[in-house]
Amino acid sequence: MFSLQTTSGVSLRVEFARQGDRFGHVISVVDGGTEQAIARSIEGTDADVWPASPPVQEVHQQGDVLFLTGMAGGSYWSASVSVESPGAILFDVACRVKSLPEYLGARYKIEPGASGSIQWEPVEAGIERNADVVSVRPTELRPQGSVRWRYRIALA
């Protein structure tokens, strides 16, 4: 298990834990001794060429930065997750593709009663919310090369 927390007091936490053949993650708000899960990554399976979220198979931590790598189909993902400010975590994701993706991005299931606890901020990404699912996608797709998207999750 790997985690980052933004500050002491009311803070934001991201925690990566193994789920089958990959790592999924949970975004939580921590207030003193209380932790409330706000959003969980929606993962794919080893059969998905274009999974719902990056297929993270390795995580390395250096201080307040997590480095993530993984692969699915013929594509390779890499990402960094870092504490950007006292109440914000920055996700910087890239995928090296060999063909035009059917889907590329990250999806999150919002926990019941968690609406409004965090803000989803596009840095270089499109963000869409439908009911209890948030989708974060790159603004531009290409049939070959690296596709990158960045987004910030911050305390509301």
Side-chain angles (χ1 to χ4, degrees):
M1 190 172 333
F2 298 88
S3 69
L4 293 178
Q5 192 163 325
T6 57
T7 60
S8 57
V10 178
S11 62
L12 193 60
R13 176 182 291 168
V14 60
E15 186 170 87
F16 284 80
R18 180 139 318 261
Q19 296 178 358
D21 71 335
R22 64 197 66 207
F23 285 86
H25 60 282
V26 177
I27 309 295
S28 301
V29 172
V30 180
D31 187 358
T34 304
E35 182 171 348
Q36 179 187 7
I38 302 300
R40 296 178 188 278
S41 61
I42 298 171
E43 300 300 322
T45 69
D46 61 357
D48 295 325
V49 174
W50 301 107
S53 290
V56 174
Q57 289 138 351
E58 293 185 7
V59 180
H60 301 281
Q61 185 165 3
Q62 290 182 355
D64 284 341
V65 180
L66 298 174
F67 297 97
L68 319 169
T69 58
M71 60 182 286
S75 299
Y76 297 90
W77 279 259
S78 63
S80 66
V81 180
S82 58
V83 173
E84 188 180 55
S85 67
I89 295 175
L90 179 68
F91 289 74
D92 189 343
V93 186
C95 181
R96 184 119 177 113
V97 299
K98 294 181 182 178
S99 63
L100 190 62
E102 293 172 22
Y103 171 82
L104 196 57
R107 289 190 179 129
Y108 294 88
K109 172 111 170 64
I110 304 301
E111 295 294 314
S115 186
S117 300
I118 59 175
Q119 296 175 343
W120 299 84
E121 302 172 356
V123 176
E124 293 175 30
I127 298 178
E128 181 180 313
R129 182 162 182 178
N130 290 321
D132 62 349
V133 174
V134 171
S135 297
V136 184
R137 302 191 63 180
T139 55
E140 180 183 333
L141 293 178
R142 56 180 62 114
Q144 291 186 351
S146 293
V147 178
R148 182 180 180 201
W149 64 102
R150 298 187 311 145
Y151 58 102
R152 181 181 302 111
I153 299 175
L155 291 169

